[in-house]
Amino acid sequence: MNTIEETIKLAGFGRRKAMRKQIEMFKKELLEGEELLGVAASNPNPTEQLYITNKRIIAHKIQGIFQNDRREIPLSSVSSINMSAKGLGAKIEIVTSNNSAVVENIPLHVAQEIKKLVDSLILQGQVN
């Protein structure tokens, strides 16, 4: 499943364009050699977002018109990703030795794909 397109679709009729624009803005900030691999957003209001690249994980929370909380975690420092399901939604927690980032109310099927993706990236990092 392409979690980027699925997240845009799940943003809802009036929010799809805004979600696509948000993802495009994020892509412009990618580092050299960095590739966006997955996206998850809270539902029904996509104000909490998780961006997964081949180099880092970014948890972004829109808290107001001019206020955002953004946590960037290098993949090399991620020790685990935890997911807990609640109904059709899920909470994802990215854990490092000294930090964590949480995004809640992610559609369950998207959260499961994001967890698989991050687990595989962590495993690749341990092998390389």
Side-chain angles (χ1 to χ4, degrees):
M1 168 197 327
N2 180 337
T3 59
I4 299 168
E5 288 303 317
E6 185 69 7
T7 297
I8 291 168
K9 183 178 100 179
L10 292 171
F13 181 70
R15 295 186 179 111
R16 286 187 186 131
K17 188 175 180 179
M19 190 75 232
R20 188 176 301 279
K21 186 176 177 183
Q22 183 84 21
I23 292 169
E24 290 304 318
M25 283 180 14
F26 176 80
K27 282 182 176 180
K28 289 178 183 176
E29 297 177 14
L30 293 176
L31 305 171
E32 187 173 325
E34 190 172 26
E35 179 185 349
L36 182 62
L37 303 175
V39 176
S42 57
N43 198 325
N45 296 324
T47 55
E48 295 184 39
Q49 302 156 5
L50 199 59
Y51 296 91
I52 313 299
T53 76
N54 57 331
K55 296 186 178 197
R56 58 191 168 146
I57 297 172
I58 292 118
H60 182 240
K61 292 185 184 185
I62 301 168
Q63 298 173 323
I65 295 174
F66 300 109
Q67 189 174 359
N68 294 305
D69 179 30
R70 182 178 168 135
R71 294 181 190 211
E72 295 188 27
I73 302 170
L75 274 176
S76 58
S77 68
V78 174
S79 55
S80 67
I81 176 171
N82 302 317
M83 185 190 86
S84 56
K86 187 175 183 181
L88 296 176
K91 173 173 89 172
I92 289 184
E93 180 182 25
I94 308 295
V95 180
T96 69
S97 59
N98 61 354
N99 199 356
S100 70
V102 176
V103 177
E104 298 187 61
N105 301 318
I106 298 171
L108 185 58
H109 66 292
V110 174
Q112 290 168 333
E113 286 295 315
I114 291 293
K115 181 167 178 10
K116 279 188 226 172
L117 173 61
V118 173
D119 281 340
S120 72
L121 291 168
I122 292 169
L123 189 59
Q124 286 174 13
Q126 292 171 350
V127 172
N128 292 339

